[in-house]
Amino acid sequence: MKWIPYGRQELSDADVAAVVQVLESEFITQGPVSVAFESAVADYCNVPFSIAVNSATSALHIACLAMNIGPGDLVWTSPNTFVASANCARYCGAEVDFVDIDSQTYNLCAQALEQKLHKASRSGAPLPALVIVVHFAGQSCDMKAIHRLSQLYGFKIIEDASHAIGGSYLGKPVGQCEFSDACVFSFHPVKIITSGEGGMIMTASSELAERMRQYRSHGIVREPEYDQTGCLEQWAYQQISLGFNYRLTDIQAALGLSQLNRLNEFVEKRRVLAARYDQLLQGYGYVLPSQSNAARSAHHLYPILVPDEPQCRTVRNKLYRHLHEASIGVNVHYIPVHSQPYYRSLGFRWGDYPVAEAYYERTLTLPLFSSLCREDQDRVIESLQGFLHQRLAA
Ligand SMILES: *Cc1c(COP(=O)(O)O)cnc(C)c1O
């Protein structure tokens, strides 16, 4: 039987032609196409600055550095995310803590954030310098409420929008940074659009943009005023900070730029498929994803929950195996980050974030990607229905 993955890229002849065109051109990296890709995504998001990098992980790392996150700082994020959302703070030597999720959207909960901030401030415990919110499954967090708290308690905000390019919040594109300091996208092939590997940081701050550009490329600038030897030659460059090589190649940028043409079409296809799951899985006892009124999702993931019962974890695992035996590549998003061995070694324990943990024990991500055809989606739906019949018969 044909294998149905949970997510995959959709490439066109135009995408291939765009990549070949770069391969046959003068610059396969550090050329005009990566700049064009940056401008095109910035235009799409209606934001002044964008920095293309080789992954969302790199994007998160240099966004933290540009905000001066370092040893002694505290960074809070969601436990229901990929490990990169927390690791970026650790790269900078900062401490990480988590804020439990909302039981409806599975996003970092603004009320839980408020309570945690209030408690920390009353007891004189350290407050976060930065909160990294994650737009889980493609749906924006409650940014207005989180932004209000940032003004009250004085922290910066990064949106990890790896799932959410093409989505919107209060009618504005995710990435516009109205309620954040920076917003990060991923172009890994399972995400909404792809460049193979790749990421981009959006920001409305020229200062942050400048710093991130430096960190992307070794901390090097070409500005004679930094040159203590007084060298004014064309070939001179000055390394003014400790940066990295996090550049995106023009080969990758060409693919990303070409894919961007179909971003709205991809999101629309995902929306229609998600609506079909909503309709056809109704009434089977699974909890289906809920949409907030403030956000329009990019529909990166379609997570369902098995019914809430004492053995739910076993049921979820059985359902996972049942679907895999039918060649359906369901997945689990996410194992709570704080429960990973690395984070346990830093002192976190199972039980620390009960909402994220209870969600994890019941969740399963169904296949959802723009090129998923109806017949394949029907196979997924029938397998989910068949599982319940098998359980009833047992
Ligand atoms: C995919 C993902 C990342 C990492 O993206 P890369 O481009 O693979 O580095 C970070 N955060 C979240 C929420 C993701 O889903």
Side-chain angles (χ1 to χ4, degrees), residues 54-58 60 80-85 134-135 160-163 184-188 190-191 197-199 300 334:
N54 58 2
S55 71
T57 304
S58 304
L60 288 163
N80 184 34
T81 185
F82 186 55
V83 292
S85 316
V134 182
H135 301 324
D160 181 345
S162 294
H163 301 180
V184 164
F185 296 133
S186 171
F187 307 126
H188 183 277
V190 298
K191 307 293 163 78
E197 296 278 358
H300 170 54
Y334 284 98

Side-chain angles (χ1 to χ4, degrees), residues 25-72:
S25 76
E26 183 68 18
F27 295 103
I28 58 173
T29 192
Q30 293 178 280
V33 180
S34 42
V35 179
F37 184 35
E38 287 178 333
S39 307
V41 179
D43 286 349
Y44 183 91
C45 294
N46 193 27
V47 71
F49 307 102
S50 58
I51 297 91
V53 288
N54 58 2
S55 71
T57 304
S58 304
L60 288 163
H61 182 195
I62 63 175
C64 287
L65 284 175
M67 293 176 196
N68 290 315
I69 298 303

Side-chain angles (χ1 to χ4, degrees), residues 317-332:
N317 293 349
K318 275 188 184 156
L319 179 58
Y320 176 91
R321 285 196 293 270
H322 174 83
L323 290 161
H324 271 247
E325 278 158 20
S327 295
I328 297 167
V330 285
N331 211 329
V332 172

Side-chain angles (χ1 to χ4, degrees), residues 103-153:
S103 62
Q104 302 298 305
T105 62
Y106 320 135
N107 274 333
L108 183 145
C109 175
Q111 284 76 40
L113 175 62
E114 180 159 24
Q115 280 160 20
K116 196 177 169 94
L117 288 162
H118 186 66
K119 198 171 150 205
S121 119
R122 281 215 351 204
S123 66
L127 288 165
L130 167 68
V131 174
I132 301 176
V133 300
V134 182
H135 301 324
F136 179 74
Q139 175 165 249
S140 174
C141 293
D142 186 356
M143 292 308 296
K144 229 174 158 170
I146 294 165
H147 181 254
R148 185 179 59 78
L149 293 169
S150 78
Q151 307 259 288
L152 224 56
Y153 290 93

